[in-house]
């Protein structure tokens, strides 16, 4: 089968297409023929080992010291179950599913074996494989952080910094679905997208002095990790919460999150926003595009 190998950390060019043996599922595993995956900020950070400070040591222990422990990168997938182990009861051959492998990675491939208990769920019939794959990384990250801020329990004012990335888009969508008053920060080229999502107040970071432009918010979520809480002290309400993807708190995913994403999708509250679609053979180009910072929403890799 075809896979994308990353045998050392570095620029997009370290990725190469190779052929390896098709895996065989164990008794408690399913074999998934992957239809689509994505390239997001998590993927490019792993590939380029874009980690700062004390996190470098931790991430080397988790991912691999001088190169990825699993050379097949990729965090999310959607696909069709082609084979099931004899002890599998939850899924059957032909089921269309989607999910996230986290630090296990392995989705830049035509096939993957996963435990029946892995973070995966049935794909909704109304979405394509590319659309549902596009929702996983941003959606689970948004749910993880914003639920910690309690926006699903009480109406709050929310500022999303980096409103055009996969996490930013999903955060805006989820916050709006919770009834929050949502504002966003992005560059000039992202204004139209953010406003289309339903955000009325959008700030342009390129104008500088961002804190001077902003109102006061109950929750500020930096989805790109470029700032710190001290940059926005005066923009937080007395009990305001500052969240950032660059904290030591690493987002985790769950089956319940995937099911909530499906519910939001069915309700029309979290449609997929796809910027570009590449083939598996174009993975280097896809990573270059995400590295450029021009991505709006999600970049999908169509494996089949």
């Amino acid at each position: 089968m075809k896979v994308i190998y990353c045998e050392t950390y570095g620029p997009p060019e370290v990725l190469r297409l190779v052929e390896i043996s098709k895996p065989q599922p164990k008794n408690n595993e399913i074999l998934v023929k992957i239809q689509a995956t994505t390239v997001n900020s998590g993927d490019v950070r792993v590939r380029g080992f874009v980690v700062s400070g004390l996190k470098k040591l931790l991430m080397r222990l988790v991912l691999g010291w001088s190169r990825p422990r699993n050379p097949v990168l990729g965090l999310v997938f959607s696909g069709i179950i082609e084979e099931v182990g004899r002890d599998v009861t939850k899924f059957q051959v032909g089921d269309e599913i989607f999910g996230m492998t986290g630090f296990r990675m392995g989705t830049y491939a035509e096939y993957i074996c996963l435990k029946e208990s892995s973070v995966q769920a049935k794909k909704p019939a109304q979405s394509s494989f590319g659309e549902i794959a596009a929702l996983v990384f941003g959606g689970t990250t948004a749910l993880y952080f914003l639920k910690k801020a309690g926006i699903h329990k009480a109406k709050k004012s929310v500022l999303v910094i980096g409103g055009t990335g996969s996490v930013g888009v999903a955060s805006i969508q989820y916050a709006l679905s919770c009834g929050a008053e949502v504002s966003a920060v992005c560059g000039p080229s992202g204004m139209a997208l953010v406003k289309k999502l339903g955000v009325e107040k959008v700030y342009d970071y390129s104008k500088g002095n961002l804190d001077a432009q902003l109102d006061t918010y109950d929750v500020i979520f930096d989805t790109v990790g470029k700032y710190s809480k001290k940059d926005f002290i005066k923009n937080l309400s007395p009990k305001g919460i500052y969240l950032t993807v660059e904290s030591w708190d690493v987002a985790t995913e769950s089956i319940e999150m995937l099911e909530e994403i499906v519910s939001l999708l069915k309700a029309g509250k979290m449609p997929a926003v796809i910027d570009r679609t590449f083939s598996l053979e174009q993975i280097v180009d896809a990573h270059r595009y995400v590295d450029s910072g021009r991505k709006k929403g999600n970049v999908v890799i169509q494996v089949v």
Side-chain angles (χ1 to χ4, degrees):
M1 70 171 183
K2 294 178 182 178
V3 301
I4 301 298
Y5 250 42
C6 178
E7 294 181 300
T8 185
Y9 298 121
E13 291 73 21
V14 301
L15 301 173
R16 61 188 184 92
L17 182 71
V18 301
E19 292 267 358
I20 65 172
S21 299
K22 180 179 171 181
Q24 296 298 315
K26 298 177 182 177
N27 291 342
N28 64 340
E29 291 182 336
I30 58 176
L31 174 66
V32 180
K33 183 175 178 60
I34 296 177
Q35 303 292 302
T37 181
T38 63
V39 180
N40 50 60
S41 58
D43 294 299
V44 299
R45 287 186 181 197
V46 171
R47 185 216 72 227
F49 200 72
V50 183
V51 187
S52 59
L54 294 174
K55 274 190 175 181
K56 280 190 173 182
L57 176 59
L58 175 62
M59 296 311 290
R60 286 191 188 279
L61 293 173
V62 173
L63 298 174
W65 195 259
S66 59
R67 60 184 178 181
R69 187 170 291 111
N70 180 359
V72 182
L73 306 186
L75 303 172
V76 309
F77 73 93
S78 61
I80 305 170
I81 296 179
E82 190 169 283
E83 191 175 343
V84 299
R86 66 184 184 186
D87 296 334
V88 172
T89 58
K90 185 178 178 181
F91 298 102
Q92 60 186 6
V93 172
D95 282 348
E96 298 180 349
I97 66 171
F98 72 104
M100 189 166 185
T101 57
F103 287 125
R104 182 180 181 273
M105 300 184 290
T107 66
Y108 286 177
E110 290 184 308
Y111 289 91
I112 189 171
C113 283
L114 298 164
K115 290 183 179 179
E116 180 182 29
S117 58
S118 297
V119 180
Q120 57 213 4
K122 299 284 183 66
K123 180 184 80 65
Q126 72 265 37
S127 73
S128 69
F129 287 104
E131 288 168 340
I132 196 64
L135 291 174
V136 179
F137 179 79
T140 55
T141 306
L143 289 171
Y144 177 84
F145 281 103
L146 292 178
K147 279 181 177 290
K148 295 191 79 170
I151 72 166
H152 59 304
K153 296 179 180 179
K155 185 174 182 179
K156 296 180 184 291
S157 56
V158 178
L159 175 70
V160 177
I161 299 174
T164 59
S166 59
V167 178
V169 167
S171 296
I172 289 171
Q173 292 171 323
Y174 179 61
L176 288 171
S177 77
C178 293
E181 297 175 0
V182 184
S183 300
V185 175
C186 66
S189 64
M191 294 281 183
L193 170 59
V194 171
K195 290 179 179 178
K196 185 178 179 181
L197 292 173
V199 177
E200 294 184 2
K201 187 170 288 188
V202 186
Y203 302 97
D204 181 356
Y205 71 78
S206 69
K207 292 182 177 179
N209 298 318
L210 188 56
D211 61 327
Q213 298 183 52
L214 302 178
D215 292 331
T216 301
Y217 294 93
D218 300 318
V219 180
I220 297 178
F221 183 21
D222 180 1
T223 68
V224 290
K226 287 189 175 180
Y227 302 93
S228 65
K229 183 177 181 178
K230 70 176 188 297
D231 295 319
F232 301 106
I233 289 295
K234 68 179 184 181
N235 305 112
L236 284 168
S237 62
K239 293 185 179 180
I241 298 172
Y242 183 82
L243 305 165
T244 175
V245 293
E246 276 298 301
S247 69
W248 283 96
D249 189 7
V250 178
T252 56
E253 60 282 343
S254 67
I255 295 172
E256 291 73 23
M257 286 181 179
L258 298 184
E259 292 171 343
E260 185 164 1
I261 288 170
V262 170
S263 296
L264 290 166
L265 173 63
K266 288 181 176 179
K269 295 179 179 180
M270 192 176 276
V273 176
I274 298 174
D275 184 340
R276 294 188 184 184
T277 299
F278 296 82
S279 67
L280 190 64
E281 290 79 6
Q282 295 172 312
I283 194 75
V284 172
D285 291 331
H287 271 250
R288 284 175 182 153
Y289 182 62
V290 175
D291 275 353
S292 74
R294 302 195 308 271
K295 176 174 71 70
K296 303 294 184 290
N298 297 273
V299 166
V300 170
I301 302 298
Q302 202 69 46
V303 179
V304 176

